[in-house]
Amino acid sequence: MIRWRDPRAPLTAAVALGAAGFAAALLAGGPALLTGAIAGLLAALFAAVSLLVASIKLDEHRSTAMGARWMGSGAIVWAAGVGVRPIADTSSVAVSFADLLVLLGVVLTAGGVLIAARRRLPATVVLRHVTGAYLCAASLFVIAWVVALRQVYAEAADPAMFTFAMLPPMIALLVTCAVIPSVITSRTAAWPLGLAGTGVLATTSVAGVAAATARLTGGVPPTWSIMIAPVAFLLLAAVPWGPRPAEPQARASGSGIGNLIATVPMALVAVATCTLLVHLVGGQPQTPVTGVVVLIASVVLLLVVRLFVLAAANIRLRRKVSLGDRQLRELAESTGDVVFICDYDGVMYEIGAGMQVTYGYRPEDLVGGSIFDYIHPEDVPGIQAALSAMGLDDEGVTSGACLIACRVRAADGTWRPTESVATRHVGGEDQLLVTTRDVSDEEALRNQVAHLTFHDGVTGLPNRSYFEERTREVLSGRMSGHVAVIFLDLDGFTSVNDSVGHASGDYLLGQAARRLRGAVRPDDTLARWGGDEFAVLLETGGEAQLAVDLAERLVRAVSQEPFRVADRDVALTASVGVAFVEEGMPSGDLIRNADVAMARAKELGGRRVEVFAAQMHADVVRRLELAADLQRALIEHQFAIEYQPVVDLATSRVTAVEALVRWWRGSEFVPPDQFLGPAEDTGLIVPLGEWILHEACREVAAWRASSWDIGLSLNLSARQITAPRFVETVEEALAESGLPASALTLEVIEEMLVEDAEETVKRLSELRALGVRLAIDDFGTGYASLAFLRQLPVDMIKIDPSFVSGLGRDETLTLLTRTIVRLGHDLGLIVVAEGIERPEQLELLREMGCTRGQGFLVARPMAARGVDSLMRTSLTV
């Protein structure tokens, strides 16, 4: 719907009034020339106003706006010419000033059409369009001459007047023919505007011919010839205000339309030639008209020139094609590909020189033969089907190229993997151009990458990824109870890396892998899981004992004889875990169970086989939960310290207290033996030990400030000693609390002196340099105590409770205890007996001369408030 404020409203109203006035004038019988001039003047002015207003609206589209302005200017000039034509026609001049204005308006309109079409053509294309336009205009003139203009020429008083009268419309026709190809092939959104402008050019050319004919014959132009130009201008005025198509989808112009346009001039020449021949054959002999003869001769000459130009272009194209073909062959040969031509049945017609270089065959020996004679028999059916599909009609073919992968037999008899691309050959409808490349190196590289992806580089065994994928594959096709997984860990392998280096460690792993491979069956899957761990996937066939027997063989294979590494013998053992699949069990759970069983075997001392039980997994989960609870307990301060007094057995006075940690999880008491081990494994023992150290030093320092000479004993774990800042932590705790270093005794067990002995002795020596006292706890249970007593300045030894418990009942234990006490006295060490629970034990220790003791008989562990009551008193037993 058009609203009154819309710019199209007055234009539409004016067009309607003009059309109505024009129709009324004709019906009233007014002068046709005057009426046509008025109608053309008004219509052209309406079109000019519409185009100029629209150009302002379309200013962001510069080419469209510029084209509209040019066409608007042309409409104004054309209207001026039409407006003065009734006056100019009263003279006897063949071409008046009005005709020149009309022609100028046509030229301006044509320029606007070309600008709107935005066609930037090369000079050769422009020349072809101009010559084509001339051929079209000349052909149309010849056709019109035969049909009607020869009678007009005969009736004309002067041939020159005929020529001058027909020249302006012929020029307009030439311009129109030159513009049409650019408009039809235009792809811009202004295509409708250009088409409307072309319509104006065509109608004005026809109207000009009709007007010139009427002027020469002294008659009146037909009514339709007067009406078509105003109507065309009215349509041109309306086009800018119609819906404007989107720019990318304005018009699709392919090579088919361009080829069709290129044939139009030749078609018109053919029609004109046929028309002229029919006229000459069937008509009376007439004197040839010089102008027409010259025009026809120019057409013939132009056609001959175009023929020579096309011949020259054809020669250049042939040279380019030949050069391109030669370059393509040279390029194909330089790339190392084999290029040949064959038909759809595989018969070879032409073969490149690369065949001999790549496969060892001479090309001339293969011509006429079939490619299927050299392709692996397993690959032939697929290739035949692919070639047959390419040979179907266009309706059954989806692509003009086909990728083929096959194996080709070389002259040396080897099968080479190849990749080929077959395309339709332009030189023959039943031939294919095939480019073949030998991909043996690429195939070998892919196989190597695949091997490295799923195999271990040190041992050559399948790796973890392969083992997991293989386990999933086996379980997906097996019933429960038919599959077992074995995990094996080399005991003590870490010390091998530390002593002889990682390179020698890798060499040892290779030896171990060979031993293990010799112990498993060929159908079993042996893989290196990671580090010093190996895994075996065993398809037992339902007999569980086979898996256990294999696990025992693996243990014997590792420990039967030492490994020779770096000119030394290294003896290792193995811890092995076995897990059996259950119905519906995922592969990940089966592998986890075997790992848990192996960890259990390692905890029990190694060199043993453990079969997974559900309780093992529950223990692991419980340990993980306990570790999480320990971390939470540290944050929430759930730990407390109890102190067990150490008394002088001679005077029964308290000389020191041993700090013992206690954990109250809510109202539940967790025994130390349940959480100290997990705390050590997870490393939480380090922050826990630091808290105990600071808290106990603070308490004991407060007691000593009350004039009570009392010492503090603390147990150390291996993790604490090897912590990076352990010595600094002890020094800070002593400084913050004010406790003298001599009042602090740190206790270590004998096993800690054996494991990583050099680092442990170094740290303990640094503590001894601070003035801190050192004690060996559970003395007598190890095997290296005496050696380290010489290396480390120890102040105290504590007799293990297992010796004290046998006093008075076991003569051997009594003798060993007496020996330890005597050894301590001889070395000048303080001897403390632990676990005193019966009076006879106390009496024997006093009789042996044991210096100090602690135990339930002497005093039970107590909170800090209980220790306060012992201040300044003696404990009598």
Side-chain angles (χ1 to χ4, degrees):
M1 182 179 211
I2 300 177
R3 302 181 182 275
W4 286 109
R5 293 185 179 180
D6 195 320
R8 292 175 290 178
L11 290 174
T12 304
V15 169
L17 291 176
F22 179 51
L26 290 177
L27 292 176
L33 290 177
L34 181 59
T35 304
I38 296 173
L41 176 63
L42 294 177
L45 291 176
F46 289 152
V49 173
S50 174
L51 291 171
L52 294 176
V53 174
S55 67
I56 299 174
K57 174 185 175 183
L58 301 172
D59 193 53
E60 67 274 10
H61 303 281
R62 297 185 58 185
S63 60
T64 305
M66 184 63 68
R69 293 191 187 102
W70 274 66
M71 283 187 278
S73 302
I76 293 175
V77 176
W78 188 89
V82 170
V84 301
R85 176 173 285 173
I87 302 173
D89 284 346
T90 58
S91 63
S92 59
V93 182
V95 178
S96 63
F97 178 72
D99 294 326
L100 295 178
L101 288 177
V102 170
L103 183 58
L104 179 60
V106 169
V107 173
L108 291 175
T109 302
V113 171
L114 292 176
I115 293 174
R118 285 192 296 185
R119 297 287 289 169
R120 295 180 177 85
L121 303 175
T124 55
V125 177
V126 172
L127 183 60
R128 186 167 66 247
H129 282 187
V130 172
T131 56
Y134 181 82
L135 292 175
C136 291
S139 299
L140 291 174
F141 179 81
V142 171
I143 295 172
W145 173 266
V146 174
V147 174
L149 294 182
R150 59 189 177 88
Q151 287 83 5
V152 176
Y153 178 79
E155 296 175 3
D158 186 1
M161 182 176 294
F162 176 85
T163 302
F164 281 109
M166 287 296 173
L167 187 59
M170 286 299 104
I171 294 176
L173 180 61
L174 178 62
V175 171
T176 302
C177 293
V179 168
I180 288 176
S182 296
V183 175
I184 293 179
T185 57
S186 173
R187 299 182 181 181
T188 65
W191 180 78
L193 182 62
L195 186 61
T198 305
V200 169
L201 295 176
T203 55
T204 54
S205 300
V206 174
V209 173
T213 302
R215 188 183 310 161
L216 291 171
T217 58
V220 178
T223 304
W224 62 267
S225 66
I226 299 174
M227 293 177 59
I228 55 175
V231 171
F233 274 109
L234 292 178
L235 291 176
L236 179 61
V239 166
W241 306 100
R244 187 168 182 267
E247 185 78 20
Q249 301 177 353
R251 179 167 175 78
S253 177
S255 60
I257 297 178
N259 294 334
L260 180 62
I261 293 174
T263 61
V264 169
M266 305 307 296
L268 288 177
V269 170
V271 173
T273 302
C274 294
T275 303
L276 186 59
L277 289 176
V278 171
H279 167 67
L280 294 177
V281 172
Q284 296 295 327
Q286 298 178 355
T287 303
V289 178
T290 303
V292 176
V293 172
V294 172
L295 181 64
I296 294 174
S298 67
V299 171
V300 174
L301 180 61
L302 186 58
L303 289 175
V304 171
V305 172
R306 291 190 67 172
L307 181 61
F308 277 106
V309 172
L310 288 176
N314 189 26
I315 293 174
R316 290 197 303 271
L317 290 176
R318 285 180 178 273
R319 290 177 180 174
K320 289 183 178 180
V321 170
S322 176
L323 177 61
D325 183 64
R326 185 170 66 255
Q327 291 176 343
L328 180 61
R329 290 176 181 273
E330 294 175 355
L331 178 62
E333 293 176 1
S334 64
T335 59
D337 295 346
V338 178
V339 181
F340 62 92
I341 296 175
C342 68
D343 59 16
Y344 292 101
D345 295 326
V347 178
M348 294 177 283
Y349 294 97
E350 187 177 353
I351 304 174
M355 177 66 75
Q356 186 168 3
V357 177
T358 304
Y359 295 104
Y361 298 111
R362 293 193 304 172
E364 56 270 18
D365 295 340
L366 301 182
V367 173
S370 175
I371 60 174
F372 300 116
D373 296 336
Y374 304 93
I375 296 177
H376 197 282
E378 296 178 357
D379 301 333
V380 168
I383 298 176
Q384 288 177 335
L387 296 184
S388 299
M390 292 187 66
L392 296 176
D393 295 336
D394 292 342
E395 297 177 354
V397 180
T398 58
S399 175
C402 178
L403 179 63
I404 300 172
C406 63
R407 290 161 288 179
V408 174
R409 187 181 70 246
D412 58 3
T414 60
W415 292 102
R416 310 272 188 87
T418 64
E419 290 181 354
S420 303
V421 177
T423 57
R424 290 189 181 89
H425 184 43
V426 295
E429 295 181 356
D430 297 331
Q431 292 182 346
L432 296 171
L433 177 64
V434 182
T435 303
T436 300
R437 171 172 294 183
D438 183 3
V439 293
S440 301
D441 295 339
E442 292 85 343
E443 187 72 18
L445 181 60
R446 281 195 293 267
N447 293 336
Q448 183 180 3
V449 171
H451 180 83
L452 294 176
T453 302
F454 294 103
H455 286 76
D456 175 53
V458 175
T459 63
L461 296 176
N463 58 13
R464 176 174 180 171
S465 299
Y466 179 89
F467 188 84
E468 291 176 336
E469 181 64 27
R470 178 59 181 164
T471 305
R472 284 193 294 268
E473 178 183 340
V474 170
L475 292 188
S476 64
R478 292 281 180 171
M479 298 296 292
S480 63
H482 291 192
V483 179
V485 170
I486 300 175
F487 257 51
L488 180 144
D489 180 87
L490 299 178
D491 300 327
F493 179 76
T494 304
S495 61
V496 175
N497 281 336
D498 295 340
S499 59
V500 296
H502 288 276
S504 298
D506 290 345
Y507 179 69
L508 187 150
L509 288 174
Q511 295 183 60
R514 288 191 289 273
R515 291 189 187 183
L516 297 176
R517 190 185 292 111
V520 301
R521 302 179 304 179
D523 295 338
D524 300 333
T525 302
L526 172 65
R528 183 189 177 194
W529 185 255
D532 59 342
E533 296 182 4
F534 297 84
V536 181
L537 178 62
L538 182 66
E539 301 177 50
T540 64
E543 300 180 13
Q545 189 59 40
L546 291 176
V548 177
D549 293 343
L550 175 59
E552 295 288 352
R553 288 202 306 272
L554 295 177
V555 173
R556 290 194 297 271
V558 172
S559 58
Q560 62 184 359
E561 60 179 329
F563 294 92
R564 188 67 179 174
V565 180
D567 296 331
R568 68 181 68 179
D569 291 332
V570 177
L572 294 179
T573 60
S575 300
V576 180
V578 183
F580 296 95
V581 69
E582 299 178 1
E583 186 174 358
M585 176 180 288
S587 60
D589 290 354
L590 177 61
I591 294 174
R592 179 206 63 197
N593 292 345
D595 193 10
V596 170
M598 183 267 293
R600 179 62 176 170
K602 206 167 186 65
E603 289 177 2
L604 296 178
R607 196 173 181 174
R608 59 185 297 133
V609 176
E610 285 291 325
V611 178
F612 175 80
Q615 183 61 34
M616 294 182 183
H617 182 244
D619 291 342
V620 172
V621 174
R622 187 163 48 251
R623 277 177 170 266
L624 291 176
E625 294 175 348
L626 186 60
D629 291 343
L630 279 171
Q631 196 165 15
R632 190 180 306 110
L634 274 173
I635 298 174
E636 298 177 357
H637 306 289
Q638 296 179 5
F639 293 101
I641 299 178
E642 289 187 352
Y643 300 91
Q644 184 174 23
V646 178
V647 302
D648 187 330
L649 297 183
T651 62
S652 298
R653 295 182 62 84
V654 177
T655 60
V657 291
E658 182 178 358
L660 305 174
V661 64
R662 298 291 183 259
W663 182 16
W664 290 92
R665 185 163 50 184
S667 59
E668 175 190 2
F669 175 73
V670 182
D673 58 353
Q674 292 186 10
F675 69 85
L676 288 180
E680 177 75 12
D681 295 339
T682 59
L684 291 174
I685 193 67
V686 175
L688 178 60
E690 291 180 1
W691 175 81
I692 296 172
L693 175 64
H694 284 80
E695 188 70 16
C697 287
R698 185 183 60 79
E699 289 283 0
V700 174
W703 293 329
R704 291 178 64 88
S706 301
S707 302
W708 187 23
D709 186 14
I710 188 172
L712 171 64
S713 294
L714 284 175
N715 288 293
L716 297 181
S717 69
R719 286 257 190 171
Q720 286 178 279
I721 295 177
T722 57
R725 297 188 69 258
F726 176 67
V727 176
E728 291 81 355
T729 301
V730 174
E731 190 174 5
E732 291 172 1
L734 293 174
E736 292 175 2
S737 62
L739 183 70
S742 59
L744 176 61
T745 303
L746 299 178
E747 304 175 6
V748 295
I749 60 175
E750 297 178 39
E751 286 79 1
M752 291 168 54
L753 299 175
V754 178
E755 296 178 5
D756 199 5
E758 183 177 353
E759 182 66 19
T760 301
V761 171
K762 176 183 176 183
R763 292 291 181 89
L764 293 178
S765 299
E766 292 176 358
L767 291 172
R768 192 68 179 78
L770 293 177
V772 175
R773 297 187 177 188
L774 300 179
I776 298 179
D777 196 12
D778 300 334
F779 187 84
T781 58
Y783 59 88
S785 301
L786 297 178
F788 282 98
L789 285 177
R790 181 178 57 85
Q791 299 180 25
L792 189 66
V794 178
D795 301 282
M796 182 185 302
I797 57 175
K798 302 185 75 172
I799 304 174
D800 187 81
S802 60
F803 292 99
V804 177
S805 64
L807 291 179
R809 298 179 179 179
D810 189 319
E811 293 183 1
T812 301
L813 291 177
T814 302
L815 179 60
L816 289 174
T817 304
R818 188 182 302 276
T819 302
I820 293 173
V821 172
R822 185 180 301 116
L823 175 64
H825 288 166
D826 294 342
L827 295 176
L829 304 177
I830 299 174
V831 181
V832 180
E834 295 182 288
I836 304 174
E837 298 180 353
R838 302 192 311 274
E840 61 269 23
Q841 296 172 342
L842 178 62
E843 293 300 328
L844 283 173
L845 288 170
R846 284 175 173 171
E847 181 267 330
M848 294 177 186
C850 182
T851 311
R852 297 174 185 175
Q854 64 183 106
F856 286 174
L857 180 64
V858 178
R860 290 180 174 273
M862 61 190 69
R865 293 189 301 273
V867 179
D868 290 339
S869 63
L870 297 177
M871 293 174 58
R872 305 178 186 278
T873 64
S874 297
L875 182 64
T876 304
V877 292

